[in-house]
Amino acid sequence: MCKDGSVDYKPDSGGTIDDEGNDSSTSKAEDLEARMDLTDDLLHMVFSFLDDINLCRASRVCRQWRAASSHEDFWRRLNFENRPISPAQFEDMCQRYPNATDVNIYGTPSIHLLVMRAVSLLRNLEKLTLGKGQIAENFFQALPDCPMLKSLAISDTALGNGIQEILIDHGHLHTLEIVKCRVLRVAIRCPQLQKLSLQRSSMPHAVLNCPLLRELNIASCHKLSDAAIRSAATSCPLLESLDMSNCSCVSDDTLREIALTCENLHILNASYCPNISLESVRLPMLTILKLHSCEGITSASMAAIAHSYMLEVLQLDNCSLLTSVSLDLPRLKNISLVHCRKFIDLNLRSSMLSLITVSNCPSLQRINITSNTLKKLVLQKQESLTSLALQCQSLQEVDLTECESLTNSICDVFSDGGGCPLLKSLILDNCESLTKVGFCSSSLVTLSLAGCRAITSLELKCPHLEQVSLDGCDHLEKASFCPVGLRSLNLGICPKLNVLNVEAPQMALLELKGCGVLSEASIKCPLLTSLDASFCSQLKDDCLSATTASCPLIESLVLMSCTSVGLDGLLSLHLLPNLTCLDLSYTFLDNLLPVFETCSHLKVLKLQACKYLADSSLKPLYNEVARALPALYELDLSYGTLSWSAIEELLACCTHLTHVNLSGCVNMHDLDWGFGGNKILEQPRPDGLSDENKQPHRLLQYLDCVGCPNIKKVAIPPTAQCHYLSSLNLSLSTNLKEIDVACCNLRILNLSNCISLETLKLDCPRLTSLSLLSCNIDEEALEAVMLCCSMLETLDVRCCPKIRMSVEQLHAAYPSLKRIY
């Protein structure tokens, strides 16, 4: 292989050719040393997987490989497509491999000389491919000298001198392709020919004498007259497939003649033939009919198509005058109607119909389909569709996205008794004319009504329904899911919902977050474990009591901003023995005694902004005689009004808490867990403790005191026993001046926007993240922190006026840092 892509064969050379094209003859000893220990049979098998390029490369390895790669079994097919091979090289190859059966010289220089040598030297030639150039008449005269030739393909070529008839006469040719060729007239006499293609060739005349021809392709032969096409097709009585697409002169008379002569015609492609209307054309054996962009095809043409009772595939795309299709064809499997601008009515009846393609038909109003095998129906963006009737016993998926004119009556089509007993998936997204939707289906599994903004009422009786999408149904007022097989349901996207009925034996998660006007709710979900009713301000105690009675397995209950829930509602929580998470934030409750008395397994209690809770309301939590909620580990009291004394009692006694949130508590004062008379330290201590370990053992892990304006000092010494504290957030505490923290497991410390901070002492060997955004800490204090926090990886010192070191300097000074802001 030369660098220019040509092939340089040297059959008499005993040496090998290296990558640079040099003759590198080696001694016999060197050749034996390079020889691999492979038997000839194994090497032959390996080489059988290589193409000609890699065979040439393999021949340069050693003499054994050169001999093996030259075996004639590998050179039955000589492929020189688009390669600059010379006539001498080609003749050499033909002489070396006279038994070659397949030759491709498409795009080679001197195409005529090469093909004449192939015809004269390769007597076993069965397939010949050529093109790009000019072929003289003597080539066609020499074709009979190749008696074994079965296939001839000529493309993009000028045949003859352009003013004479080309005769192709061969007794054994089976396949002939003359594609995109220039010739005045062609005559073909091939008694064994079965497949002929004249596609895109510019010939005004074609004479065929091919009695066994079964496939004829004359697509885009624009110069062929109607009479020439009729003569060519009718001369082949056994014709089974005819492609005459883009032959604009074809008439109905020609089709009638073809129908009478070619009784076995199965496939007809008459696309882009504007003069045909199929008037009085009868093709009873037709199985595939393509009529793409036929301007003459109208509703009257359906009478002719109806006689093709064997028809399986029908294409009517872009038939601009077609207004209706009504067909009863027992074998029809596939029909396509795309870009039919005036199409209004579709009526199909076929037991074998399996694929319907209908799109961009803006005038389509009515569809009636009967089929026993159709499984999927997609009718997206049919804006005018108002009527849909289906009798499809196997239909499982339907997509009617953006069918804006569909009315509420569509619900009857997809309910039990509507003709789709196996329907599983239904998509009605953006069907904006739907107002009251109701389905009663024993098979429906998935339903999507996303974007149906006009729906005000929804009623679903679908026991196997597992998934429903209501995104964008923001005008929904009444909803009933009785019964359904849903495992989860999100109605928080329906802000106008005021009446809700849910009966779902399998449901575990129900989200009503944001249903601010919901006043009536009947929820019967025996397996429900999570209920989020945040901001449902109209839900009252009776609704909460009924829900807890019918859903005894609830573990997480969110009643944030449910301002209508009172003491009676809390009393019903005793019906929830598994309740572990309760959110009563932003409510008007002033008594939590029912929670403390009945929710013994509660682990998480959130009381954000419960401004009506008095100090005594939380006293059961730190009552030493009978402490409530022994399993509680997370408590959120942020933005509350508890006094500092109550907070002190809570922090001192509830040492079992792991998560505490006191953000925004205006009464929160200095957090000093060192010695100094702080009430937090004045708890009774067991006898025998040393002075160094007189603090209770705390399980606290996360402490948030964001935005507490009265905190000035935070001191957590080792004696505070905060061994598990890993995150401390004091950001936005604008009056905080002093920090002295020694926690062996603290990993995250956030002091952002503590603008009054003056003293920072840290002894936290595992600290990895420190935020000092907008703090007045100087570089000396920062250096002291870095000495005691050797594992620090993330440091935020943005807007710190006293720290003037650049990012590069900080990296150089503290190489352990990975992220610096």
Side-chain angles (χ1 to χ4, degrees):
M1 296 296 298
C2 298
K3 292 183 179 179
D4 61 357
S6 62
V7 185
D8 187 12
Y9 296 94
K10 297 186 178 180
D12 299 328
S13 174
T16 61
I17 308 300
D18 61 18
D19 291 339
E20 286 74 26
N22 301 320
D23 188 355
S24 54
S25 300
T26 58
S27 65
K28 186 173 182 180
E30 291 172 338
D31 189 43
L32 289 174
E33 183 178 355
R35 181 181 177 126
M36 295 181 65
D37 188 16
L38 293 174
T39 64
D40 291 342
D41 291 341
L42 180 58
L43 200 60
H44 187 88
M45 183 182 69
V46 173
F47 282 5
S48 67
F49 294 97
L50 302 181
D51 58 14
D52 51 358
I53 294 292
N54 287 308
L55 282 170
C56 291
R57 290 170 178 164
S59 69
R60 298 199 296 256
V61 173
C62 63
R63 291 180 180 177
Q64 182 197 22
W65 283 34
R66 182 178 182 85
S69 65
S70 301
H71 197 283
E72 65 175 358
D73 286 352
F74 305 138
W75 299 98
R76 299 285 185 185
R77 182 174 187 269
L78 304 180
N79 183 8
F80 302 106
E81 182 175 349
N82 293 319
R83 296 182 188 170
I85 186 171
S86 68
Q89 289 174 322
F90 182 74
E91 183 175 353
D92 176 54
M93 286 295 297
C94 293
Q95 291 174 349
R96 292 181 64 191
Y97 302 108
N99 293 323
T101 60
D102 184 353
V103 173
N104 185 345
I105 52 175
Y106 178 86
T108 57
S110 306
I111 184 72
H112 181 68
L113 295 177
L114 267 59
V115 73
M116 294 304 297
R117 282 170 171 73
V119 170
S120 61
L121 296 175
L122 302 176
R123 296 301 179 182
N124 294 318
L125 191 61
E126 297 180 2
K127 183 177 180 181
L128 178 60
T129 303
L130 59 146
K132 281 195 175 181
Q134 184 169 2
I135 304 297
E137 183 184 9
N138 58 346
F139 162 70
F140 299 100
Q141 295 172 350
L143 271 181
D145 295 338
C146 292
M148 305 296 292
L149 191 64
K150 298 288 193 303
S151 174
L152 174 61
I154 308 174
S155 58
D156 199 12
T157 303
L159 307 183
N161 57 14
I163 59 173
Q164 62 186 130
E165 178 181 273
I166 295 298
L167 174 63
I168 302 177
D169 188 352
H170 197 284
H172 297 89
L173 202 61
H174 286 178
T175 302
L176 175 60
E177 296 181 10
I178 302 177
V179 177
K180 202 179 177 182
C181 290
R182 300 172 295 282
V183 60
L184 177 65
R185 180 184 177 94
V186 63
I188 301 174
R189 299 175 188 171
C190 300
Q192 299 295 323
L193 194 65
Q194 297 185 8
K195 183 177 179 180
L196 172 62
S197 175
L198 302 175
Q199 185 177 6
R200 301 179 66 188
S201 294
S202 58
M203 60 189 76
H205 303 284
V207 179
L208 305 185
N209 186 0
C210 310
L212 299 183
L213 191 67
R214 298 185 183 275
E215 296 183 33
L216 176 60
N217 185 348
I218 53 174
S220 300
C221 292
H222 300 292
K223 292 186 177 182
L224 277 180
S225 65
D226 186 34
I229 294 174
R230 185 186 316 172
S231 173
T234 55
S235 67
C236 308
L238 299 182
L239 200 62
E240 296 179 356
S241 174
L242 174 60
D243 187 345
M244 56 173 62
S245 58
N246 278 292
C247 294
S248 56
C249 58
V250 177
S251 65
D252 284 337
D253 293 336
T254 295
L255 284 180
R256 282 192 288 270
E257 289 287 338
I258 293 174
L260 291 174
T261 306
C262 306
E263 298 179 352
N264 294 318
L265 190 64
H266 295 321
I267 302 173
L268 174 61
N269 187 351
S271 299
Y272 299 95
C273 296
N275 297 325
I276 65 171
S277 64
L278 299 183
E279 181 181 355
S280 302
V281 177
R282 301 291 182 265
L283 294 165
M285 302 303 292
L286 210 59
T287 58
I288 298 177
L289 176 58
K290 299 180 180 180
L291 298 172
H292 193 290
S293 299
C294 292
E295 297 176 3
I297 295 299
T298 64
S299 301
S301 306
M302 298 303 108
I305 296 177
H307 285 85
S308 301
Y309 63 92
M310 301 288 289
L311 196 63
E312 298 179 0
V313 178
L314 176 60
Q315 291 186 4
L316 297 170
D317 298 349
N318 207 29
C319 292
S320 57
L321 298 180
L322 186 63
T323 58
S324 66
V325 171
S326 181
L327 294 172
D328 186 352
L329 297 171
R331 295 177 180 269
L332 187 65
K333 297 179 180 179
N334 185 337
I335 185 171
S336 178
L337 291 155
V338 180
H339 290 292
C340 297
R341 293 182 291 105
K342 297 184 178 181
F343 189 54
I344 296 175
D345 194 352
L346 175 62
N347 191 335
L348 294 176
R349 182 181 295 271
S350 173
S351 59
M352 301 182 66
L353 190 64
S354 58
L355 179 60
I356 300 176
T357 303
V358 178
S359 67
N360 296 103
C361 298
S363 301
L364 182 60
Q365 298 178 10
R366 296 176 295 276
I367 295 179
N368 190 333
I369 300 174
T370 301
S371 170
N372 292 332
T373 56
L374 185 65
K375 293 184 177 181
K376 184 175 182 178
L377 178 62
V378 179
L379 298 170
Q380 295 181 353
K381 298 184 179 181
Q382 302 306 315
E383 296 91 347
S384 301
L385 185 63
T386 57
S387 174
L388 179 63
L390 300 175
Q391 291 295 326
C392 303
Q393 304 303 310
S394 300
L395 190 62
Q396 297 183 15
E397 300 180 40
V398 176
D399 188 348
L400 297 171
T401 299
E402 295 188 31
C403 292
E404 299 174 356
S405 299
L406 284 177
T407 61
N408 298 334
S409 61
I410 194 68
C411 300
D412 297 331
V413 177
F414 300 114
S415 294
D416 290 341
C420 305
L422 299 182
L423 185 66
K424 293 182 178 180
S425 174
L426 176 59
I427 301 176
L428 294 169
D429 293 351
N430 298 308
C431 294
E432 297 185 356
S433 295
L434 298 179
T435 57
K436 295 184 178 180
V437 175
F439 293 105
C440 179
S441 172
S442 57
S443 61
L444 195 62
V445 175
T446 301
L447 173 64
S448 180
L449 296 168
C452 297
R453 296 176 55 86
I455 294 180
T456 59
S457 175
L458 176 63
E459 183 177 359
L460 300 179
K461 296 180 180 179
C462 308
H464 295 98
L465 186 66
E466 296 180 0
Q467 184 176 350
V468 62
S469 176
L470 299 173
D471 294 346
C473 298
D474 47 14
H475 287 77
L476 185 63
E477 298 177 359
K478 297 181 180 180
S480 175
F481 302 85
C482 301
V484 291
L486 295 170
R487 298 180 183 274
S488 64
L489 178 62
N490 182 3
L491 293 173
I493 49 181
C494 305
K496 295 186 178 182
L497 186 67
N498 57 58
V499 178
L500 173 65
N501 292 304
V502 180
E503 183 180 332
Q506 303 298 322
M507 185 173 292
L509 174 64
L510 177 59
E511 186 168 334
L512 304 175
K513 187 176 183 178
C515 297
V517 296
L518 184 62
S519 58
E520 298 180 29
S522 174
I523 302 173
K524 298 178 180 179
C525 306
L527 298 183
L528 190 68
T529 59
S530 178
L531 173 61
D532 188 346
S534 300
F535 305 103
C536 295
S537 58
Q538 302 299 317
L539 281 182
K540 296 181 172 57
D541 290 343
D542 56 346
C543 177
L544 180 59
S545 300
T547 301
T548 56
S550 59
C551 308
L553 299 182
I554 290 179
E555 298 176 3
S556 175
L557 179 60
V558 180
L559 298 174
M560 178 188 292
S561 292
C562 292
T563 54
S564 298
V565 173
L567 187 61
D568 292 339
L570 294 184
L571 289 172
S572 67
L573 297 182
H574 75 279
L575 299 174
L576 304 178
N578 298 323
L579 187 64
T580 58
C581 178
L582 178 62
D583 190 345
L584 298 173
S585 302
Y586 295 92
T587 57
F588 298 153
L589 296 170
D590 58 4
N591 188 347
L592 298 178
L593 194 59
V595 175
F596 297 141
E597 291 180 347
T598 61
C599 303
S600 58
H601 294 92
L602 201 63
K603 297 180 180 179
V604 178
L605 179 59
K606 296 185 178 182
L607 301 169
Q608 295 180 41
C610 291
K611 299 185 181 299
Y612 290 89
L613 288 178
D615 291 353
S616 59
S617 301
L618 296 178
K619 195 167 185 179
L621 284 177
Y622 48 85
N623 190 324
E624 296 179 4
V625 178
R627 185 170 296 171
L629 307 182
L632 190 70
Y633 66 80
E634 180 176 345
L635 180 61
D636 189 344
L637 297 172
S638 56
Y639 304 100
T641 57
L642 292 179
S643 67
W644 172 233
S645 60
I647 294 175
E648 278 188 308
E649 291 282 357
L650 191 68
L651 292 176
C653 298
C654 298
T655 57
H656 59 289
L657 295 177
T658 61
H659 296 64
V660 176
N661 191 342
L662 298 170
S663 299
C665 292
V666 294
N667 295 323
M668 180 75 178
H669 290 281
D670 293 355
L671 187 63
D672 189 353
W673 286 353
F675 295 100
N678 195 308
K679 196 172 183 178
I680 297 176
L681 308 174
E682 295 176 356
Q683 300 305 310
R685 306 178 183 117
D687 295 335
L689 285 179
S690 64
D691 291 338
E692 298 176 354
N693 297 297
K694 291 185 178 181
Q695 292 297 317
H697 192 68
R698 303 179 187 279
L699 300 180
L700 187 63
Q701 298 178 20
Y702 299 88
L703 177 60
D704 289 331
C705 297
V706 178
C708 295
N710 292 318
I711 295 183
K712 296 182 179 180
K713 178 181 179 181
V714 174
I716 306 178
T719 54
Q721 300 291 321
C722 294
H723 299 307
Y724 300 100
L725 186 62
S726 61
S727 175
L728 178 60
N729 191 347
L730 298 166
S731 61
L732 295 171
S733 297
T734 55
N735 292 314
L736 182 61
K737 294 183 178 181
E738 183 180 350
I739 297 286
D740 188 353
V741 176
C743 294
C744 58
N745 283 308
L746 188 67
R747 286 172 168 79
I748 300 173
L749 178 59
N750 190 348
L751 300 173
S752 300
N753 294 288
C754 294
I755 58 177
S756 301
L757 188 62
E758 298 174 353
T759 303
L760 178 60
K761 296 180 180 180
L762 298 179
D763 186 7
C764 306
R766 289 186 172 86
L767 189 68
T768 59
S769 177
L770 175 61
S771 178
L772 297 172
L773 175 67
S774 299
C775 291
N776 285 320
I777 296 299
D778 56 22
E779 294 179 2
E780 184 179 351
L782 179 62
E783 183 179 359
V785 168
M786 295 301 299
L787 289 175
C788 298
C789 305
S790 57
M791 297 181 66
L792 194 65
E793 297 179 354
T794 302
L795 176 64
D796 188 351
V797 289
R798 288 173 293 176
C799 303
C800 293
K802 295 183 180 180
I803 297 179
R804 296 180 176 84
M805 297 174 68
S806 65
V807 173
E808 292 75 13
Q809 290 173 328
L810 286 170
H811 265 302
Y814 312 115
S816 66
L817 291 176
K818 297 180 179 179
R819 290 168 293 276
I820 300 176
Y821 303 98

